[in-house]
Amino acid sequence: MIVLQFDSAYYNWGLLMVRSLALHEPHKQVLADTVNLSGQQQAELKRAHPRILVTSEAIAGKRSLQAEMARRKTMVLRRALDTFPDEPWLGMFDADMLVRRPLADLWSLLDAHQAALLMTNGVWDGRVYPHLFTPSGIVLVRRDGRELVDSWAKWDCHPRALHGHRQGEWFWDQCTLLQASEDSRVKCAVIPFHLFCCDRRSHQAAIWSAHGGGKERNYQAFLREHEVQQVLRNHPLLAGKFGGRG
């Protein structure tokens, strides 16, 4: 099961991600566990993918929910594991991504591992930051890897700072995921970053990520790319005119 979680501020991103999944992964069950979506938005999401389940809860407050939504990942994963016991694995993705082809090679990482995580050297602008070691944009976990999710949730409640960040701050979810990956006994595969979380819009990448900044510019580029993907799906003989992408 593919799991997405986003709020109304990221609705357009979430809808585009769902539509890209409908194009390339139409047979996978999708759960959109959302926050503060209107009835009209929920209905539009339900029409966007043939196998999607949509839930939405209300969270009050006028301040930005970005950090809170990142922390919410652990709760959403645990709830999905409990709610859907027949699903052999869960894959959580950030909403600001675009799937560009089928993901069989990503799912195959769970053939020999209980979970799969993005991992980096943590380097940014010449310095090493531990909170960048385990980006939380994609988390894959089999049912027998539940310990990783439970450990992540445990560390989310840690009362003191981790790697220079405190509970409720930006990057807290990645600090706690790093602790969980080190503390749990779950065997994790490494998800190739350049293929499945590419922020440079490479045409060799299966998934583009908007984590590199310039959200509106990225959104428009992702939207155009998805339109091209739709054309290629319906008219494969045109592939040469688009540089053989996909």
Side-chain angles (χ1 to χ4, degrees), residues 72-233:
R72 189 174 178 267
K73 291 180 179 182
T74 59
M75 181 270 288
V76 169
L77 266 180
R78 293 181 90 187
R79 182 162 64 192
L81 282 166
D82 291 338
T83 305
F84 304 99
D86 294 331
E87 293 291 338
W89 57 266
L90 299 179
M92 172 168 278
F93 293 77
D94 279 351
D96 53 352
M97 289 179 158
L98 183 79
V99 175
R100 302 182 62 253
R101 63 164 173 79
L103 301 175
D105 50 342
L106 178 60
W107 313 138
S108 71
L109 294 176
L110 294 179
D111 290 347
H113 296 82
Q114 297 167 289
L117 301 175
L118 294 164
M119 297 183 186
T120 77
N121 59 12
V123 175
W124 178 263
D125 199 22
R127 293 182 58 188
V128 176
Y129 297 92
H131 67 260
L132 300 180
F133 286 163
T134 50
S136 64
I138 303 176
V139 176
L140 305 182
V141 60
R142 295 188 327 208
R143 299 207 70 83
D144 59 348
R146 170 74 185 247
E147 182 185 344
L148 174 68
V149 179
D150 288 342
S151 181
W152 193 11
K154 179 196 74 173
W155 280 105
D156 182 63
C157 299
H158 189 67
R160 295 183 295 277
L162 292 170
H163 311 298
H165 297 269
R166 292 188 174 276
Q167 195 179 109
E169 294 180 351
W170 199 235
F171 293 119
W172 179 251
D173 59 311
Q174 298 187 173
C175 294
T176 52
L177 181 58
L178 174 60
Q179 294 298 127
S181 67
E182 292 176 342
D183 284 0
S184 73
R185 296 163 293 179
V186 173
K187 185 179 179 183
C188 295
V190 177
I191 300 172
F193 207 94
H194 69 289
L195 287 179
F196 299 108
C197 194
C198 179
D199 60 5
R200 299 184 179 184
R201 301 186 214 153
S202 166
H203 290 305
Q204 281 68 54
I207 300 176
W208 284 358
S209 165
H211 293 177
K215 286 290 188 184
E216 182 57 29
R217 183 176 67 253
N218 274 326
Y219 177 76
Q220 294 303 324
F222 284 26
L223 189 60
R224 289 192 298 270
E225 175 66 14
H226 179 61
E227 291 171 351
V228 168
Q229 292 286 322
Q230 288 179 304
V231 170
L232 294 181
R233 174 58 58 88

